[in-house]
Amino acid sequence: MAVATTRQSAPGRGSVPGRTVRRLPRIRISDVLSHGYIWLCLMVFVTPFIVLVGYTFSGTGGTSTVNNFQFVFGSFLENLKWSLLISGATLVGNVVIALPAAYALMRYPVPAKRLLYTIVTLPLYVPGAVIGLSLLLTYYFSYHLATSVFGLIFAMMICTFPLMLTPIVVALKDLPVVFEEASECLGATRWQTFHRIVLPLIGPGVSAGLMLTFIIVFNEYLVTLFVHPNDITTAPLRVFNVVKTAGLAPSTTALAVTMQVISLAAILLFFRIFGTRYFKGTYLI
């Protein structure tokens, strides 16, 4: 009969019998470097905003922080109102055009839809100065919309229409067609199916387009510089003009900080409600 034997190792020096020795997890150099790289990139991108806020609250130039922000709700308030008004009008116009356009691209056999989608999203890849100059020439010689608020809204719609269209296309791509077929089989019309089934289900995609469009339009100044009416100055254009003529003043940076807070609040609100699901690639058609 074989007898099983167990070999016990003798306790080493300094070890206590009956006591478990916990070993610390190894920290790999690659983990340290990767985390350090991420924090370095974060600091590089965040530092300009921190410096901007610090300069606003520093009271440089003999002004207090309260006085700096009084300018925002005083002489700068009109500029903020125009920025919000133009952003809202652009959102409405883009939604009215992008919803049927995205639905047609994804639900109907449109010829050369990939080429068409590429042409529609072309403003994303064209410099703002080129778009502004092109619109300026078009307004003067074709549409006669120069020095018109409608021309400015139309320019913002051209610049941001791809940002509204793409998330809706993503949402429609993720929505199975069987939902619409089942609704029509139960007697619903095309409009009832779209209004009661499709639109609520693609709501997060529409909201993503609204958020992207608002951020771009609210902070756009380069295209606005070419086509804005003489009696309308948006908040980013006011910041640009004041810095160009009077230098960098704490009251001007207070307006920039206010714009930054409004944009950040819009982004955080969207991520809180919908997350990042609808920020995918644009290869879906």
Coordinates of all heavy atoms in Angstrom, one line a residue, residues 25-60:
P25 N 0.8 43.9 -5.1 CA 0.8 43.7 -6.6 C 1.9 44.4 -7.3 O 2.3 45.5 -6.9 CB -0.6 44.2 -6.9 CG -0.9 45.2 -5.9 CD -0.3 44.7 -4.6
R26 N 2.4 43.7 -8.3 CA 3.4 44.3 -9.1 C 2.9 45.5 -9.9 O 1.8 45.4 -10.5 CB 4.1 43.3 -10.0 CG 4.9 42.2 -9.3 CD 5.5 41.3 -10.3 NE 6.3 40.3 -9.7 CZ 7.0 39.4 -10.4 NH1 7.0 39.4 -11.7 NH2 7.8 38.5 -9.7
I27 N 3.6 46.6 -9.9 CA 3.3 47.7 -10.7 C 4.2 47.8 -11.9 O 5.4 48.0 -11.8 CB 3.4 49.0 -9.9 CG1 2.5 49.0 -8.7 CG2 3.1 50.3 -10.8 CD1 2.7 50.2 -7.8
R28 N 3.6 47.5 -13.1 CA 4.4 47.4 -14.3 C 4.7 48.8 -14.8 O 3.9 49.8 -14.6 CB 3.6 46.7 -15.4 CG 3.4 45.2 -15.0 CD 2.8 44.5 -16.2 NE 1.4 45.0 -16.5 CZ 0.6 44.5 -17.4 NH1 1.0 43.6 -18.2 NH2 -0.6 45.1 -17.6
I29 N 5.9 48.9 -15.4 CA 6.3 50.2 -15.8 C 5.4 50.7 -17.0 O 5.2 51.9 -17.1 CB 7.8 50.1 -16.3 CG1 8.7 49.8 -15.2 CG2 8.2 51.5 -16.9 CD1 10.2 49.6 -15.5
S30 N 4.9 49.8 -17.8 CA 4.1 50.2 -18.9 C 2.8 50.9 -18.4 O 2.3 51.8 -19.0 CB 3.7 49.0 -19.8 OG 3.1 48.0 -19.0
D31 N 2.2 50.3 -17.3 CA 1.0 50.9 -16.7 C 1.3 52.3 -16.2 O 0.5 53.2 -16.4 CB 0.5 50.0 -15.5 CG 0.0 48.7 -16.0 OD1 -0.3 48.6 -17.2 OD2 -0.1 47.7 -15.2
V32 N 2.4 52.5 -15.5 CA 2.8 53.8 -15.0 C 2.9 54.8 -16.1 O 2.4 55.9 -16.1 CB 4.0 53.7 -14.1 CG1 4.5 55.1 -13.7 CG2 3.8 52.8 -12.9
L33 N 3.6 54.4 -17.2 CA 3.8 55.3 -18.3 C 2.5 55.6 -19.0 O 2.3 56.8 -19.4 CB 4.8 54.7 -19.3 CG 6.2 54.5 -18.8 CD1 7.1 53.8 -19.8 CD2 6.8 55.8 -18.4
S34 N 1.6 54.6 -19.2 CA 0.4 54.9 -19.9 C -0.5 55.8 -19.1 O -1.1 56.8 -19.6 CB -0.4 53.6 -20.1 OG -0.7 52.9 -18.9
H35 N -0.6 55.6 -17.8 CA -1.4 56.5 -16.9 C -0.8 57.9 -16.9 O -1.5 58.9 -16.9 CB -1.5 56.0 -15.5 CG -2.5 54.9 -15.4 ND1 -2.2 53.6 -15.7 CD2 -3.8 54.9 -14.9 CE1 -3.3 52.8 -15.5 NE2 -4.2 53.6 -15.0
G36 N 0.5 58.0 -16.8 CA 1.2 59.3 -16.9 C 1.0 60.0 -18.2 O 0.8 61.2 -18.2
Y37 N 1.0 59.3 -19.3 CA 0.7 59.9 -20.6 C -0.7 60.5 -20.7 O -0.9 61.6 -21.2 CB 1.0 58.9 -21.7 CG 0.7 59.4 -23.1 CD1 1.5 60.2 -23.7 CD2 -0.5 59.0 -23.7 CE1 1.2 60.7 -25.0 CE2 -0.8 59.4 -25.0 CZ 0.1 60.3 -25.6 OH -0.2 60.8 -26.9
I38 N -1.7 59.7 -20.1 CA -3.1 60.2 -20.1 C -3.2 61.5 -19.3 O -3.8 62.4 -19.7 CB -4.0 59.1 -19.6 CG1 -4.0 57.9 -20.6 CG2 -5.4 59.6 -19.4 CD1 -4.8 56.7 -20.1
W39 N -2.6 61.5 -18.1 CA -2.7 62.7 -17.3 C -2.0 63.9 -17.9 O -2.4 65.0 -17.8 CB -2.1 62.4 -15.9 CG -3.1 61.6 -15.0 CD1 -3.1 60.3 -14.7 CD2 -4.3 62.2 -14.4 NE1 -4.2 60.0 -13.9 CE2 -4.9 61.2 -13.7 CE3 -4.8 63.5 -14.3 CZ2 -6.1 61.4 -12.9 CZ3 -5.9 63.7 -13.6 CH2 -6.6 62.6 -12.9
L40 N -0.9 63.6 -18.6 CA -0.1 64.7 -19.3 C -1.0 65.3 -20.4 O -1.1 66.5 -20.5 CB 1.2 64.1 -19.8 CG 2.0 65.1 -20.6 CD1 2.5 66.3 -19.7 CD2 3.2 64.4 -21.2
C41 N -1.6 64.4 -21.2 CA -2.5 64.9 -22.2 C -3.6 65.7 -21.7 O -4.0 66.8 -22.2 CB -3.0 63.8 -23.1 SG -1.7 63.0 -24.1
L42 N -4.2 65.2 -20.6 CA -5.3 65.9 -19.9 C -4.9 67.3 -19.5 O -5.6 68.3 -19.6 CB -5.8 65.1 -18.7 CG -7.0 65.7 -18.0 CD1 -8.2 65.8 -18.9 CD2 -7.3 64.8 -16.8
M43 N -3.7 67.4 -18.9 CA -3.2 68.7 -18.4 C -3.0 69.6 -19.5 O -3.2 70.8 -19.5 CB -2.0 68.5 -17.6 CG -2.2 67.8 -16.2 SD -3.4 68.7 -15.2 CE -2.6 70.3 -15.0
V44 N -2.4 69.1 -20.7 CA -2.1 70.0 -21.8 C -3.4 70.6 -22.4 O -3.5 71.8 -22.7 CB -1.4 69.2 -22.9 CG1 -1.3 69.9 -24.2 CG2 0.0 68.8 -22.4
F45 N -4.5 69.8 -22.4 CA -5.8 70.3 -23.0 C -6.6 71.1 -22.0 O -7.3 72.0 -22.4 CB -6.6 69.1 -23.5 CG -6.1 68.4 -24.7 CD1 -5.6 67.1 -24.6 CD2 -6.0 69.1 -25.9 CE1 -5.1 66.5 -25.8 CE2 -5.5 68.5 -27.0 CZ -5.1 67.2 -27.0
V46 N -6.4 70.8 -20.7 CA -7.3 71.5 -19.7 C -6.6 72.8 -19.2 O -7.3 73.8 -18.8 CB -7.6 70.6 -18.6 CG1 -8.3 71.3 -17.4 CG2 -8.4 69.4 -19.0
T47 N -5.3 72.9 -19.3 CA -4.6 74.0 -18.7 C -5.0 75.4 -19.3 O -5.2 76.3 -18.6 CB -3.0 73.8 -18.9 OG1 -2.6 72.7 -18.2 CG2 -2.3 75.0 -18.4
P48 N -5.2 75.5 -20.7 CA -5.7 76.8 -21.2 C -7.0 77.3 -20.6 O -7.2 78.5 -20.3 CB -5.8 76.5 -22.7 CG -4.9 75.4 -23.0 CD -4.9 74.6 -21.8
F49 N -7.9 76.4 -20.3 CA -9.2 76.7 -19.7 C -9.0 77.2 -18.2 O -9.6 78.1 -17.8 CB -10.2 75.6 -19.8 CG -10.5 75.2 -21.2 CD1 -9.9 74.0 -21.7 CD2 -11.3 75.9 -22.1 CE1 -10.1 73.6 -23.1 CE2 -11.5 75.5 -23.4 CZ -10.9 74.4 -23.9
I50 N -8.1 76.4 -17.6 CA -7.8 76.8 -16.2 C -7.2 78.2 -16.1 O -7.5 79.0 -15.2 CB -6.9 75.7 -15.5 CG1 -7.7 74.4 -15.5 CG2 -6.5 76.1 -14.1 CD1 -6.8 73.3 -14.9
V51 N -6.3 78.4 -17.0 CA -5.6 79.8 -17.0 C -6.6 80.9 -17.3 O -6.6 81.9 -16.7 CB -4.5 79.8 -18.0 CG1 -3.9 81.2 -18.2 CG2 -3.4 78.8 -17.6
L52 N -7.6 80.6 -18.2 CA -8.6 81.6 -18.6 C -9.5 81.9 -17.4 O -9.7 83.1 -17.1 CB -9.4 81.0 -19.7 CG -10.6 81.9 -20.2 CD1 -10.0 83.1 -21.0 CD2 -11.5 81.2 -21.2
V53 N -9.9 80.9 -16.6 CA -10.7 81.1 -15.4 C -9.9 81.8 -14.4 O -10.4 82.8 -13.7 CB -11.2 79.8 -14.9 CG1 -12.0 80.0 -13.6 CG2 -12.1 79.1 -15.9
G54 N -8.6 81.4 -14.2 CA -7.8 82.1 -13.2 C -7.6 83.6 -13.5 O -7.6 84.4 -12.6
Y55 N -7.4 83.9 -14.8 CA -7.2 85.3 -15.2 C -8.4 86.1 -15.0 O -8.4 87.3 -14.6 CB -6.8 85.3 -16.7 CG -6.4 86.7 -17.1 CD1 -5.1 87.2 -16.9 CD2 -7.3 87.5 -17.9 CE1 -4.8 88.5 -17.3 CE2 -6.9 88.8 -18.3 CZ -5.7 89.3 -18.0 OH -5.3 90.5 -18.5
T56 N -9.6 85.5 -15.1 CA -10.8 86.2 -14.9 C -11.1 86.6 -13.5 O -11.5 87.6 -13.1 CB -12.0 85.4 -15.4 OG1 -11.8 85.1 -16.8 CG2 -13.3 86.1 -15.3
F57 N -10.7 85.6 -12.6 CA -10.9 85.8 -11.1 C -9.7 86.5 -10.5 O -9.7 86.7 -9.2 CB -11.1 84.5 -10.4 CG -12.5 83.9 -10.7 CD1 -12.7 83.1 -11.8 CD2 -13.6 84.3 -9.9 CE1 -14.0 82.6 -12.0 CE2 -14.8 83.8 -10.2 CZ -15.1 82.9 -11.2
S58 N -8.7 86.8 -11.2 CA -7.5 87.4 -10.6 C -7.6 88.9 -10.3 O -6.9 89.4 -9.5 CB -6.3 87.2 -11.5 OG -6.5 87.9 -12.8
G59 N -8.6 89.6 -11.0 CA -8.7 91.0 -10.8 C -7.6 91.8 -11.4 O -7.3 92.9 -10.9
T60 N -7.0 91.3 -12.4 CA -5.9 92.0 -13.1 C -6.4 93.3 -13.7 O -7.5 93.3 -14.3 CB -5.3 91.1 -14.2 OG1 -4.9 89.9 -13.6 CG2 -4.1 91.8 -14.8

